[in-house]
Amino acid sequence: MATTDKEVNELIKREYEHGFVTEIEAETFEPGLNEDVIARLSAIKNEPKWMLEWRLKAYRRWLEMDEPDWAHVGYPKIDYNSISYYSAPKRKEDMPQSLDEVDPELLKTYEKLGIPLHEREKLAGVAVDAVFDSVSVATTFKEPLAKAGVIFCSISEAIRDYPELVQKYLGSVVPAGDNFFAGLNSAVFSDGTFVYVPKGVRCPMELSTYFRINAANTGQFERTLIVADEGSYVSYLEGCTAPMRDENQLHAAVVELVALDDAQIKYSTVQNWYPGDENGKGGIYNFVTKRGACIGKNSKISWTQVETGSAVTWKYPSCVLRGENSVGEFYSVALTHNYQQADTGTKMIHMGKNTRSTIISKGISAGKSSNAYRGLVKFGPGAEGARNFTQCDSLLIGDRCGAHTFPYIESKNKSAIVEHEATTSKVSDEQMFLCRQRGIDPEQAVSMIVNGFCKEVFKELPMEFAVEAGKLLEVSLEGSVG
Amino acid sequence: MLSIKNLHASVEGKEILKGINLDVKAGEVHAIMGPNGSGKSTLSQVLAGNEAFDVTDGSITLNGENLLELETEERAREGIFLAFQYPVEIPGVSNLQFLRTAVNAMRTHKGEEEMNAAEFMKLAKEVSKQVDLDPSFLKRGVNEGFSGGEKKRNEIMQALLLQPQLAILDETDSGLDIDALKVVSDGVNALRSDDRAILMVTHYQRLLNHIVPDYVHVLAGGKIIKSGGRELALELEEKGYGWLGIKDEDAATDAAN
């Protein structure tokens, strides 16, 4: 069993499945960022004047901000003028009116990724918004959703078609001045998804966005805004992949969720951006701000994330619990291997009475990777009777990786209760020996042990995603035993 | 069936087994007895292929096949089963899933079709009754929160499901009360058959009242110093290991513990 570490390290070697590049004619901005670039971006998208002003204000603010350096990650300084801020496949008309008009190359791309967009083959029961580099290329199931009163469209369309809703909520949860990457995103976001679920409506199907980075030297800056009106319910999923390239690429998204009285939003992510090669070359920098505001009483926001990709991840899906009795949840599996670095966790900000939050975080580190959980649980003076339960478990595979836990607790209310549990364990030689002694292949054994470790989180994912996530972990760990 | 010749094994450079010779035929039940630190557990671990131990000399064959060339999982598929002294927990992996994966690994190896979840559930429920484990244990994590006795019964259940050629029971009686000992022994006796051999490793004689061995061997200082029939165990119980000129603690440290 002394060789298990070596075996396990073998197992972590794997091929990235989604690393292909789509050859498509694109309109791409020259690298560089200034007010003219933002004006051009806004003009291309036919945005109203207020939007351009919003962007410029964010940009000026951003210029005065510093890139955060407190995360437990290291990467060379990013030159923000060497990035192109817009790249979109060329098309004849302004917007494709139906899927038939979408470039077949794009449809093929999504098919290859397992996300068929075409009418005949589209995923049953799941509506998809497909975002390719800087633009949304297609949105499925628009009609049945419209019948239910649900708005599901690209954020660019929403800015044009539903300006009141967008103006009311955009930046209300994550203001432009919130942090460096959110500021950058507010200035240059190019597309993303908008969802509005009206009062009392239970969204009839799962909504999802599939993000694909294709062009080289571009950043992807998407913006997602989901508003669940009183008594409504929506479950939303996002998936992400990118080609294999030697250069790092920046992905700085902002996601804002708003839940009014008695509304529920369930937001699930399977993040599989290109993680870089086994020597740590290339990969996506995933610097993302995700936050939900439970502004109504009895509202609930639940984040579930499975993070297996990206070279560097900096991400803290959070909940601001303002409404009385509102509930925030965070379920996370973060797997790092080779030279991947992840600093991820959540913030649960309890403001209202009897607000409750649950944090279950499972970090798996393999190879030479570094995996940190960073979480803040904060109780404001008004958080009478509020409660939090946090459980952070780390699993180490091999002996060259690192796991770190940085929990922060701030309480300004004496009646608030917080419970914190943390464990660190290894896929032990004894566990491997038991499995192998029963005739089970070492690779299958590691994958079984890791899946068992993540079970509490996987059961929160929608069915199709849970299977997908299990498989993804299997692929991610392939070759870690030999 | 099993033939061990001049087996030497060490852990971290320290020699524990110093020339073991043993032949076990199909249908036989052998008991390996000995004081703490005599190398009993090391012998079971080495047979199962635990890579923490280095075999420095000698040979082990199973039905003429060189076991030392096979990986742990390959030995298992050839029919070597080890019931662990301290079964480890695998949190979140259900017993049912674990057992079905194991059974299907064996079946695939034999060229048989894999069992589906429903078929396996039926079989596992029957077998769990045989060792007096409530079927609810099948849904729990592997050994997760099991008591000592439940872990041992779980091990025997696995042997009954996997139907090995050679079952090695490492201190299966340790930590069991008299009722649990009876259940476990009944399970082991149900395993006895003409085409299967059982190797019991134990410190105490009492297990042998329930599972009557054909042969008893005394292991001390990494060697078998005496072999005999059932009566040898009784003699040991009466006179202690001192009678054979060995003290309980004088042997090499048993690194497996």
Side-chain angles (χ1 to χ4, degrees):
Chain A
M1 295 187 304
T3 60
T4 337
D5 285 343
K6 188 191 85 201
E7 292 168 343
V8 163
N9 285 320
E10 283 292 307
L11 182 105
I12 309 154
K13 287 184 195 154
R14 56 124 178 194
E15 289 288 311
Y16 183 71
E17 273 187 293
H18 309 295
F20 63 93
V21 177
T22 306
E23 294 300 335
I24 195 159
E25 214 186 329
E27 178 180 11
T28 304
F29 282 12
E30 286 298 306
L33 182 57
N34 52 49
E35 296 201 3
D36 291 343
V37 168
I38 294 169
R40 223 176 116 201
L41 173 72
S42 186
I44 273 192
K45 305 184 90 59
N46 284 325
E47 284 178 358
K49 198 159 172 274
W50 62 264
M51 195 63 239
L52 174 62
E53 276 163 13
W54 198 86
R55 288 174 181 278
L56 290 173
K57 206 171 138 199
Y59 174 68
R60 288 168 199 144
R61 183 87 192 263
W62 176 74
L63 286 174
E64 287 162 17
M65 294 169 85
D66 291 321
E67 197 169 328
D69 58 2
W70 42 261
H72 195 81
V73 296
Y75 54 91
K77 208 157 174 46
I78 298 169
D79 176 3
Y80 291 92
N81 277 312
S82 71
I83 298 170
S84 163
Y85 288 85
Y86 185 80
S87 178
K90 274 196 182 154
R91 45 194 172 195
K92 288 160 211 147
E93 278 118 69
D94 201 18
M95 286 288 288
Q97 293 305 302
S98 76
L99 282 162
D100 295 334
E101 293 170 39
V102 174
D103 190 313
E105 273 305 309
L106 286 174
L107 293 179
K108 253 190 248 167
T109 300
Y110 283 90
E111 227 159 86
K112 223 166 146 181
L113 295 167
I115 317 285
L117 298 174
H118 213 276
E119 209 59 35
R120 295 185 305 270
E121 295 141 6
K122 60 192 174 187
L123 301 173
V126 182
V128 180
D129 181 17
V131 176
F132 191 85
D133 288 329
S134 304
V135 290
S136 166
V137 292
T139 309
T140 63
F141 286 112
K142 273 185 140 170
E143 276 169 35
L145 286 169
K147 249 181 223 164
V150 174
I151 303 170
F152 176 55
C153 63
S154 74
I155 192 104
S156 306
E157 281 174 72
I159 290 166
R160 288 190 299 263
D161 300 346
Y162 312 100
E164 281 140 41
L165 280 172
V166 175
Q167 267 181 297
K168 185 170 177 188
Y169 292 109
L170 189 73
S172 71
V173 187
V174 181
D178 187 79
N179 70 70
F180 184 82
F181 298 114
L184 178 63
N185 174 285
S186 301
V188 303
F189 76 85
S190 43
D191 221 331
T193 305
F194 176 74
V195 177
Y196 173 76
V197 190
K199 268 185 200 176
V201 171
R202 190 179 170 89
C203 187
M205 61 183 77
E206 304 269 356
L207 304 182
S208 77
T209 303
Y210 195 93
F211 295 101
R212 174 73 177 169
I213 294 179
N214 187 60
N217 300 318
T218 57
Q220 190 175 54
F221 306 93
E222 88 266 7
R223 186 107 193 173
T224 299
L225 175 60
I226 299 177
V227 180
D229 213 325
E230 289 172 24
S232 67
Y233 169 87
V234 62
S235 169
Y236 175 89
L237 336 164
E238 64 171 358
C240 355
T241 57
M244 294 157 79
R245 290 187 205 285
D246 287 347
E247 303 80 33
N248 296 105
Q249 279 179 286
L250 178 63
H251 173 253
V254 171
V255 174
E256 295 178 280
L257 311 182
V258 181
L260 303 184
D261 287 359
D262 303 301
Q264 272 191 44
I265 303 175
K266 185 174 170 61
Y267 192 105
S268 314
T269 304
V270 172
Q271 185 263 104
N272 187 23
W273 293 118
Y274 178 54
D277 70 10
E278 56 185 313
N279 299 311
K281 203 170 167 70
I284 302 289
Y285 292 156
N286 192 35
F287 301 152
V288 170
T289 306
K290 293 185 170 180
R291 195 174 304 154
C294 285
I295 59 178
K297 61 177 170 29
N298 306 320
S299 57
K300 179 175 171 181
I301 289 179
S302 179
W303 298 99
T304 306
Q305 60 171 18
V306 176
E307 304 275 318
T308 62
S310 298
V312 182
T313 296
W314 179 98
K315 180 183 171 190
Y316 316 91
S318 304
C319 297
V320 181
L321 305 170
R322 277 183 206 283
E324 253 182 65
N325 301 321
S326 60
V327 176
E329 292 174 339
F330 174 73
Y331 301 99
S332 168
V333 166
L335 180 142
T336 53
H337 58 88
N338 293 333
Y339 287 88
Q340 278 179 283
Q341 307 174 64
D343 192 300
T344 184
T346 183
K347 289 189 277 189
M348 291 292 173
I349 314 293
H350 293 255
M351 320 269 281
K353 262 191 211 167
N354 297 321
T355 46
R356 280 158 295 145
S357 64
T358 304
I359 300 171
I360 309 276
S361 161
K362 305 275 182 179
I364 302 146
S365 335
K368 294 174 183 153
S369 68
S370 163
N371 200 327
Y373 167 81
R374 188 182 302 276
L376 169 68
V377 177
K378 190 172 174 176
F379 299 100
E384 212 45 43
R387 294 185 79 115
N388 162 267
F389 172 76
T390 300
Q391 185 187 329
C392 293
D393 299 324
S394 308
L395 184 68
L396 302 173
I397 303 178
D399 54 8
R400 287 176 300 167
C401 51
H404 314 271
T405 304
F406 305 102
Y408 306 89
I409 298 166
E410 289 172 28
S411 183
K412 294 196 172 102
N413 189 306
K414 281 190 180 138
S415 69
I417 298 172
V418 56
E419 286 174 78
H420 184 98
E421 289 176 9
T423 64
T424 300
S425 53
K426 256 192 93 168
V427 172
S428 73
D429 292 345
E430 286 77 17
Q431 288 172 331
M432 288 298 289
F433 186 53
L434 169 62
C435 293
R436 294 178 61 192
Q437 210 300 305
R438 298 302 184 248
I440 300 169
D441 268 327
E443 285 196 4
Q444 209 179 352
V446 168
S447 133
M448 192 165 70
I449 293 167
V450 169
N451 269 291
F453 175 76
C454 301
K455 200 176 189 175
E456 282 164 281
V457 173
F458 284 175
K459 71 175 203 285
E460 297 297 328
L461 285 172
M463 191 64 128
E464 308 80 15
F465 256 39
V467 175
E468 195 62 27
K471 275 194 212 146
L472 194 57
L473 282 194
E474 237 163 75
V475 176
S476 298
L477 288 165
E478 211 163 84
S480 89
V481 198
Chain B
M1 172 192 282
L2 177 75
S3 174
I4 305 175
K5 291 206 164 62
N6 190 34
L7 182 67
H8 288 252
S10 58
V11 63
E12 289 165 2
K14 189 167 179 180
E15 187 164 68
I16 311 286
L17 301 183
K18 300 172 181 173
I20 303 265
N21 291 290
L22 183 66
D23 276 298
V24 178
K25 294 193 180 65
E28 293 177 350
V29 175
H30 289 241
I32 309 267
M33 300 188 67
N36 287 334
S38 57
K40 301 189 301 284
S41 275
T42 300
L43 178 61
S44 5
Q45 299 279 322
V46 167
L47 285 172
N50 188 334
E51 290 157 7
F53 299 88
D54 297 316
V55 172
T56 51
D57 202 2
S59 68
I60 309 173
T61 57
L62 183 74
N63 300 322
E65 196 177 355
N66 183 359
L67 267 196
L68 295 175
E69 279 179 0
L70 300 182
E71 297 284 347
T72 305
E73 60 276 13
E74 292 168 330
R75 295 184 198 193
R77 291 173 204 152
E78 292 302 324
I80 299 250
F81 179 92
L82 172 63
F84 287 85
Q85 183 177 4
Y86 304 108
V88 65
E89 299 187 0
I90 309 181
V93 177
S94 79
N95 225 357
L96 195 67
Q97 186 199 353
F98 173 72
L99 296 173
R100 186 157 79 93
T101 308
V103 165
N104 281 336
M106 303 290 186
R107 291 178 72 97
T108 306
H109 177 69
K110 287 186 214 152
E112 294 168 3
E113 246 182 73
E114 294 198 353
M115 282 181 110
N116 67 34
E119 284 169 342
F120 184 75
M121 185 68 175
K122 199 169 160 243
L123 174 69
K125 271 187 177 168
E126 279 166 25
V127 175
S128 69
K129 275 182 214 146
Q130 239 179 304
V131 291
D132 202 22
L133 270 182
D134 191 275
S136 68
F137 275 85
L138 294 169
K139 298 208 167 143
R140 286 171 55 179
V142 176
N143 294 316
E144 209 181 346
F146 288 22
S147 73
E150 286 160 354
K151 283 183 183 172
K152 295 295 171 77
R153 279 186 272 164
N154 199 30
E155 292 294 291
I156 301 305
M157 175 167 81
Q158 291 172 39
L160 288 165
L161 276 168
L162 294 170
Q163 297 283 316
Q165 285 247 311
L166 172 70
I168 306 160
L169 313 177
D170 190 1
E171 306 270 7
T172 293
D173 53 326
S174 70
L176 294 184
D177 64 32
I178 198 72
D179 294 332
L181 185 66
K182 177 84 174 55
V183 172
V184 164
S185 307
D186 288 350
V188 175
N189 284 326
L191 270 179
R192 289 182 90 143
S193 86
D194 288 345
D195 52 8
R196 176 176 301 129
I198 296 174
L199 198 61
M200 284 188 290
V201 170
T202 181
H203 187 93
Y204 300 104
Q205 199 287 131
R206 63 167 192 167
L207 180 68
L208 310 185
N209 292 332
H210 300 274
I211 309 163
V212 180
D214 302 303
Y215 300 97
V216 175
H217 312 276
V218 180
L219 188 64
K223 283 184 176 175
I224 290 176
I225 59 162
K226 196 166 177 63
S227 295
R230 164 90 183 94
E231 66 291 344
L232 179 57
L234 297 170
E235 217 169 337
L236 276 174
E237 185 179 42
E238 196 182 319
K239 300 179 182 169
Y241 288 107
W243 159 68
L244 289 166
I246 45 174
K247 275 187 271 163
D248 236 6
E249 258 71 45
D250 68 352
T253 312
D254 194 328
N257 292 333

